[in-house]
Amino acid sequence: MPNPSLLILPGDGIGPEVMTEVRKIIDWFDRKRGIRFDVGEDLVGGAAYDAHGTPLSDETMARAMAVDAVLLGAVGGPKYDVLDFSVKPERGLLRLRKEMDLFSNLRPAQCFDALADFSSLKKELVTGLDIMIVRELTSGIYFGEPRGIIDDNEGGRIGINTQRYTTNEIRRVARSAFELARRRNNRVCSMEKANVMESGILWREEVQWVHDNEYPDVELSHMYADAGAMQLVRQPKQFDVIVTDNLFGDLLSDCAAMLTGSLGMLPSASLGVVMENGRPRALYEPVHGSAPDIAGQGKANPCACILSFAMALRYSFDLGDEASRLERAVETVLANGIRTADLMMAEDGKAASTTEMGDAVVQALEASL
Ligand code: IPM
Ligand code: MG
């Protein structure tokens, strides 16, 4: 059997720094657990634009299609704000999602006990919080046609985007939410705007159809997305799995992320259809962005990216126990008070650097043996 393969795309800003720490973790699993990956590395986002004039070259796209899983750091930065829309760093990420057909985006919002004080909500509302947001990632208003900016022939312009969902697109992401719920607390809440959008009516009907025909054992509820946003900050622990469309999922997942106290802690997985080798097409990335304000200073928190690798172990390589080992190692480090600056209060001591944080996780892994 060949080793499973990974393509690492560090990207921009803090992406390369946090990915260096993930490399240490990958090495550790190789040396100490005999879990060996063939690892390749390539450019995406602004870094790819600088080298090739495109945020994702065809060669890199082909490599991404050929590996078992892609690990991505972050894309974007102020330097690229002036670029034409078609070559902005974000287009590289969106191309990966679309061409790999990664329709199911898993964004866990989990509150680590040691960090409950960092939430903007009262501690008791978030302690023990564990929500999974399943965001549709390859359709909806992000990709719908027609789109563009056109003249209105009266001296003004019209900006157009189209929200569009098919039966199949809704059903497949709904199935992935129900599957996850069965392995968690067996509850799914679906969010749309069926009160104002036809695509929302279809969404609600199709999610209900999948439930009634295939997952009647899972508890299903529906909410309008605006009410859902309100409930997320009012009583977040009422949720188990939330399934929603591309745009609402973008907003709701940022909101849910902040409940947990730090964007620097949250991983994500984007999964597509199961390939011939039995593994889903997959891309793993931290929820946080490229954080240009702290890039290159050794201040970035590598945990979200490390935990994204844990998700890869679980969802791509069926190594749930090893994923849990890594997640526990991160928890141990936090509980021991080793923290990057984003996880510290003013009165706390000296912040750990990105490298120190990565090293501490490796040490905690070592101690887990
Ligand atoms: C995200 C980001 C992306 C999105 C951007 C960078 C294209 O906000 O992954 O949530 O809007 O999907
Ligand atoms: Mg977003």
Side-chain angles (χ1 to χ4, degrees), residues 19-314:
M19 205 55 95
T20 301
E21 303 313 308
V22 175
R23 286 273 198 164
K24 291 180 188 167
I25 308 292
I26 294 173
D27 285 348
W28 185 86
F29 277 98
D30 180 347
R31 280 185 287 110
K32 297 299 172 79
R33 305 296 300 155
I35 298 166
R36 189 152 302 161
F37 294 98
D38 289 336
V39 184
E41 190 168 319
D42 214 328
L43 302 173
V44 69
Y49 179 81
D50 289 340
H52 307 301
T54 165
L56 187 77
S57 71
D58 293 342
E59 292 72 37
T60 312
M61 187 66 236
R63 287 180 81 183
M65 293 298 279
V67 293
D68 291 314
V70 176
L71 291 183
L72 186 137
V75 295
K79 181 179 157 196
Y80 306 105
D81 285 349
V82 296
L83 293 184
D84 185 72
F85 184 71
S86 63
V87 289
K88 279 203 192 304
E90 290 78 6
R91 304 309 304 172
L93 177 57
L94 292 169
R95 181 175 177 198
L96 280 166
R97 290 175 179 172
K98 186 68 181 174
E99 291 191 22
M100 293 174 75
D101 200 18
L102 305 172
F103 60 87
S104 177
N105 179 211
L106 278 41
R107 299 192 164 187
Q110 229 171 336
C111 184
F112 290 83
D113 283 350
L115 300 180
D117 283 327
F118 285 86
S119 176
S120 44
L121 295 193
K122 292 192 200 87
K123 194 172 174 168
E124 61 270 23
L125 286 180
V126 296
T127 310
L129 181 73
D130 180 6
I131 303 176
M132 180 69 85
I133 297 195
V134 179
R135 168 190 177 193
E136 199 294 323
L137 202 60
T138 53
S139 185
I141 202 161
Y142 270 53
F143 296 98
E145 301 280 348
R147 65 184 298 164
I149 301 177
I150 59 172
D151 286 331
D152 69 356
N153 296 324
E154 291 170 17
R157 296 185 300 160
I158 308 173
I160 301 167
N161 290 93
T162 302
Q163 166 81 332
R164 179 181 187 279
Y165 270 106
T166 65
T167 295
N168 177 44
E169 287 167 346
I170 301 169
R171 287 187 184 177
R172 65 182 186 170
V173 74
R175 285 188 186 105
S176 91
F178 287 123
E179 287 293 335
L180 277 165
R182 275 186 179 161
R183 283 183 267 140
R184 295 170 46 99
N185 293 313
N186 217 35
R187 287 184 292 122
V188 171
C189 180
S190 170
M191 296 187 187
E192 28 54 20
K193 286 282 288 178
N195 49 346
V196 286
M197 297 165 78
E198 285 81 356
S199 60
I201 295 175
L202 187 74
W203 183 279
R204 187 175 285 222
E205 289 177 0
E206 294 299 344
V207 172
Q208 189 69 49
W209 186 92
V210 173
H211 171 268
D212 296 349
N213 288 281
E214 300 172 18
Y215 299 90
D217 53 301
V218 180
E219 192 185 307
L220 172 65
S221 59
H222 302 274
M223 260 185 213
Y224 297 137
D226 54 345
M230 185 268 283
Q231 290 297 338
L232 259 181
V233 291
R234 193 182 79 91
Q235 200 68 260
K237 283 191 249 179
Q238 70 184 282
F239 297 111
D240 178 22
V241 175
I242 293 173
V243 63
T244 188
D245 78 9
N246 204 343
L247 181 60
F248 295 140
D250 184 40
L251 306 180
L252 293 168
S253 63
D254 263 24
C255 177
M258 209 50 228
L259 299 176
T260 70
S262 171
L263 226 42
M265 294 303 301
L266 295 175
S268 79
S270 304
L271 307 177
V273 294
V274 174
M275 300 182 284
E276 252 170 47
N277 62 11
R279 298 185 177 119
R281 265 200 201 294
L283 178 145
Y284 300 87
E285 59 177 318
V287 169
H288 64 67
S290 59
D293 52 318
I294 58 162
Q297 301 171 31
K299 287 184 184 167
N301 182 352
C303 289
C305 206
I306 290 173
L307 292 170
S308 299
F309 176 64
M311 288 188 91
L313 292 174
R314 176 171 292 119

